[in-house]
Amino acid sequence: MPRGSARAGARPKARAVDAAAPVDAAAPVVVRRATVADIDDLVALARALNAHEGEPTDLFTAAVARRHGFGRRPEWTVWLATRDGAAVGFAMTHRSWDTPNAAPGLFLSDLYVAPRARRRGVGRLLMATVAAEVKRAKRVYFWWTAKPGNKRALAFYKSLGAFSEPVVAHALFGPALDRLLEPRAKPRRATSKRAMSKRATPKRRKR
């Protein structure tokens, strides 16, 4: 487990996230694995990220986080960055596997640092924590995506030495996903004009 983690019972809860709240710049950044006690902070940070990206902000609730992140079979892991007792960023990962590497890895689905804590090494520390988890779990890589217009994020990832290539992301959900599951109608057999003409013209009777 990356440095800074401890058992949930001995861990104090971070202060509630407040974008306007001042943070002691001299205080060290601590990154640890999030627990149930951090759900409110996680939801607040995730909603701030989704608002920044123009994504829905009302779907990721405390109940959803509790069920999918801290249930019997967690779907993801979150690393929470705190400074001066306040939650200032997070990284969310889940398992990955692909045939080109023929090895397990991690997918970094979310990375966010509150504006008041940026340019102070928080993002790099979160990425380093994910890298440490990759090594600890005997995985080979971790990967993520970024929107082309997010120039600051792209420059940050480049500074880490990350490999990048242009890709087009695709997703199916909602009605489109449901339509794919519907049985396809059998294509109608095409009828030639000649056949239609024969069918439409009555045969002459012999006199």
Side-chain angles (χ1 to χ4, degrees):
M1 194 65 62
R3 186 178 178 182
S5 62
R7 292 187 177 181
R11 184 180 299 142
K13 182 180 178 181
R15 291 205 307 265
V17 177
D18 182 356
V23 176
D24 184 1
V29 177
V30 177
V31 176
R32 56 174 174 77
R33 190 166 181 162
T35 69
V36 175
D38 300 308
I39 285 180
D40 290 343
D41 291 331
L42 172 58
V43 170
L45 288 169
R47 285 180 174 176
L49 168 61
N50 291 332
H52 175 74
E53 294 289 335
E55 302 289 352
T57 60
D58 59 336
L59 301 180
F60 187 65
T61 63
V64 169
R66 183 182 299 274
R67 181 168 63 253
H68 293 287
F70 303 99
R72 295 179 60 184
R73 295 182 179 179
E75 297 284 349
W76 38 257
T77 298
V78 163
W79 303 98
L80 190 69
T82 64
R83 172 172 254 161
D84 191 27
V88 295
F90 79 101
M92 177 182 285
T93 65
H94 59 75
R95 294 178 180 180
S96 177
W97 207 100
D98 64 23
T99 54
N101 291 290
L106 289 177
F107 176 66
L108 176 68
S109 57
D110 286 335
L111 177 69
Y112 180 72
V113 177
R116 68 185 187 282
R118 292 175 186 170
R119 296 186 178 277
R120 295 173 183 172
V122 179
R124 187 180 185 89
L125 186 55
L126 282 166
M127 295 293 277
T129 301
V130 174
E133 177 63 12
V134 168
K135 290 293 186 179
R136 185 204 68 79
K138 293 181 172 55
R139 296 177 179 272
V140 175
Y141 63 91
F142 74 99
W143 69 286
W144 62 95
T145 62
K147 293 183 177 180
N150 195 341
K151 304 299 183 183
R152 181 176 294 180
L154 296 177
F156 169 62
Y157 300 143
K158 184 177 180 180
S159 73
L160 299 178
F163 164 80
S164 64
E165 62 179 350
V167 297
V168 177
H170 299 273
L172 279 175
F173 54 90
L177 179 63
D178 295 335
R179 284 196 299 271
L180 184 61
L181 300 176
E182 296 174 356
R184 294 185 63 181
K186 292 183 178 180
R188 298 183 62 181
R189 192 174 179 179
T191 305
S192 66
K193 291 183 178 179
R194 184 178 180 182
M196 291 178 64
S197 177
K198 287 183 176 180
R199 186 179 302 170
T201 305
K203 294 182 179 180
R204 296 182 179 178
R205 294 182 178 180
K206 292 182 180 181
R207 293 181 179 178

